[in-house]
Amino acid sequence: MSTLLIKNIAEIATMQGPIPRTGKSMRDAGYIHDAAIYIENGKIAFIGPNSDAPLNADKIIDAEYCCVTPGLVDPHTHPVFAKTRESEFVMRLEGKPYMQIAEEGGGIMSSVRSLRDVDKKTLKEITRRHLDGFLQYGTTTIEAKSGYGLTLDDEIKSLEIIRELNDEHPLDLIATFLGAHSLPTELKENRQEFLRIIVEEMLPKVVENNLAEYCDIFCENGVFDVAESRYVLEAAKKLGLKIRIHSDEFEPIGGTELAGKLGAASADHLMVVTDEGIKAMKDGRVTPIVLPATTFFLGHPHYAPARKLIDAGLPLALASDFNPGSSMTHSLQMTMTIACVNMKLLPEEALSACTVNAAYSLDRHDRIGSLSEGMDVDLVIWDTENFRQVVYHFGVNHARVVVKGGEVV
Ligand code: NIG
Ligand code: FE
């Protein structure tokens, strides 16, 4: 039996309390002060006042009066890609919109071409470096999507990399099949055939090989419409996958309403979500996931209405949307700052959104997202004396020690 004691913690945001957090409870970080955490075999055996903690352990970490939170949970990322796309970043700075770049053959399709060109081993090593990035910034679990392959073999290759890295890397990855991320150029004139391949060839293979827990689709004007999204997501559900959806990013075409009807785990983006969409999420118990780093990075003036979603009683979650096109950041610290400044979230609301509620959207809230006795020990010791400073002192990495599954990583 191995033991670890983390002592002299100025403040722990335990996130103990209601799961998921809704309404006013999102402001409750379950703070305890002058505290310690004692870990036995990777599980929390004690969390409470410093003065009541066991005195000895196999390993002792003195937190030197810094603060601790649960490891951050990022419920929407696209980490499997071969090349960066800074030229498109520059095109956008010069005035070309994201969707226009995509229509002209850039965007997602440019990542698809480069992913198809690299061998699996190289792609895996590139992806591994991104996982290191998440961990260094205090994220201990991510949802990871495929979606830059768009052929059976390339989607399977991406999902296999996610599965292998989940085994090899300290970060936990929860796999989502996003074969319907874009219509591939070679099937531009034959949408029906691509949808058939997704439903009849890719989905069964993904399920048969147990390569994903969720299925997602990019439901947007110019990508996949609501009827197509329904077709793919219903097929996924029938095969036993849970579902997520990219909806209401640029135009409100009804993807969020569909998420409600199908009982999706989450609807993500929501920059232009309507009142009907909000009602549908309530009725269907869908977690809204907003991606303010994407809005920021695309230079859009209009953020998702996070306050309205909270006021509607929904368990708001935040994600980085890490991807080479619209959000090139691993940092949930930065994402929380952007959410606070532009969506007027309080720091504790942002933390609830990146811990308990993110874990809830991934059906992992029993094990991660909060710190209490018996839970997994995924936590971060930050280099600040309180959590608010992590969000307030922006643009730097405050993560000092990251503990994943009870081990310092
Ligand atoms: O969530 N919106 C669709 N998919 C990604 C962007 C993918 C890309 O540009 O490569 C997103 O923002
Ligand atoms: Fe995305």
Side-chain angles (χ1 to χ4, degrees), residues 76 78 145 178 181 216 246 269 291 321 323 326:
H76 181 140
H78 306 253
K145 303 177 195 293
L178 177 57
H181 196 189
D216 191 350
H246 282 65
H269 280 291
L291 314 170
D321 193 20
N323 76 78
S326 63

Side-chain angles (χ1 to χ4, degrees), residues 90-147:
V90 176
M91 282 156 101
R92 286 202 303 278
L93 301 180
E94 289 174 332
K96 200 174 263 197
Y98 174 79
M99 287 305 273
Q100 193 183 330
I101 296 171
E103 278 154 28
E104 293 173 3
I108 293 170
M109 276 318 294
S110 110
S111 289
V112 169
R113 286 188 296 274
S114 54
L115 183 139
R116 288 178 182 175
D117 271 355
V118 313
D119 60 84
K120 185 174 165 194
K121 190 161 169 275
T122 310
L123 185 61
K124 184 171 166 184
E125 290 320 304
I126 297 170
T127 306
R128 191 194 305 272
R129 287 205 293 277
H130 290 308
L131 305 192
D132 294 342
F134 283 106
L135 209 58
Q136 276 156 15
Y137 279 80
T139 297
T140 47
T141 300
I142 63 169
E143 181 261 13
K145 303 177 195 293
S146 66

Side-chain angles (χ1 to χ4, degrees), residues 215-341:
C215 177
D216 191 350
I217 188 165
F218 189 9
C219 181
E220 183 65 46
N221 216 356
V223 192
F224 296 105
D225 67 22
V226 173
E228 291 166 340
S229 302
R230 178 190 277 275
Y231 174 62
V232 170
L233 295 177
E234 278 183 342
K237 244 178 104 163
K238 259 198 212 115
L239 290 172
L241 294 182
K242 297 178 272 185
I243 57 184
R244 318 180 83 78
I245 188 167
H246 282 65
S247 62
D248 288 335
E249 181 173 4
F250 301 112
E251 289 177 54
I253 62 168
T256 308
E257 288 84 332
L258 177 67
K261 277 184 213 129
L262 297 181
S266 73
D268 306 31
H269 280 291
L270 308 174
M271 269 151 72
V272 294
V273 67
T274 61
D275 289 344
E276 291 74 46
I278 292 176
K279 185 172 178 306
M281 284 192 285
K282 276 287 282 194
D283 293 344
R285 305 175 66 87
V286 179
T287 298
I289 301 184
V290 297
L291 314 170
T294 308
T295 315
F296 169 81
F297 197 60
L298 293 179
H300 280 245
H302 186 80
Y303 283 78
R307 179 61 56 203
K308 203 167 163 182
L309 296 168
I310 293 175
D311 288 346
L314 288 161
L316 184 81
L318 279 170
S320 68
D321 193 20
F322 172 66
N323 76 78
S326 63
S327 186
M328 190 63 191
T329 183
H330 303 123
S331 176
L332 281 177
Q333 296 172 58
M334 187 73 192
T335 302
M336 286 192 282
T337 300
I338 297 170
C340 290
V341 172

